[in-house]
C-alpha cells in the first residue's frame, strides 16, 4: 500500500520511530526521511509474503555436536 508523502500519519509514524530509537536529526535529514519513508515502508511490506504468514520464522535444526 503506497502512502502519500503528504499524509499526516507519515509524520506521526516517523516521529514515533525516532522517539523510540532516540535518534537526533537535523532539519534536512528529517525532511528527507519524511519524503522517503513511504518508499521504505513499501519495500518492507514487500518482504512479507502473505502465503507464509503462519509458517515458522526459520527452519529449526537440531543441535549437533561437532567432534
Amino acid at each position: 500500500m503506497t502512502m502519500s508523502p503528504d499524509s499526516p500519519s507519515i509524520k506521526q509514524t516517523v516521529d514515533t520511530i525516532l522517539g523510540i530509537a532516540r535518534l537526533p536529526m537535523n532539519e534536512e535529514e528529517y525532511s528527507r526521511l519524511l519524503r522517503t519513508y513511504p518508499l521504505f515502508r513499501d519495500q518492507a511490506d514487500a518482504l512479507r509474503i502473505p502465503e507464509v504468514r503462519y509458517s515458522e520464522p526459520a527452519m529449526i535444526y537440531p543441535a549437533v555436536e561437532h567432534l
Side-chain angles (χ1 to χ4, degrees), residues 35-52:
R35 286 191 317 272
T36 56
Y37 178 78
L39 173 64
F40 298 146
R41 180 77 263 156
D42 288 345
Q43 290 175 342
D45 289 345
L47 294 174
R48 296 184 184 97
I49 303 169
E51 294 80 22
V52 296

Side-chain angles (χ1 to χ4, degrees), residues 3-28:
M3 301 173 81
S4 166
D6 300 324
S7 171
S9 65
I10 291 176
K11 183 176 182 339
Q12 182 179 9
T13 302
V14 168
D15 289 345
T16 300
I17 292 168
L18 293 175
I20 291 170
R22 296 182 181 168
L23 291 173
M25 295 205 154
N26 63 37
E27 282 298 316
E28 181 183 339

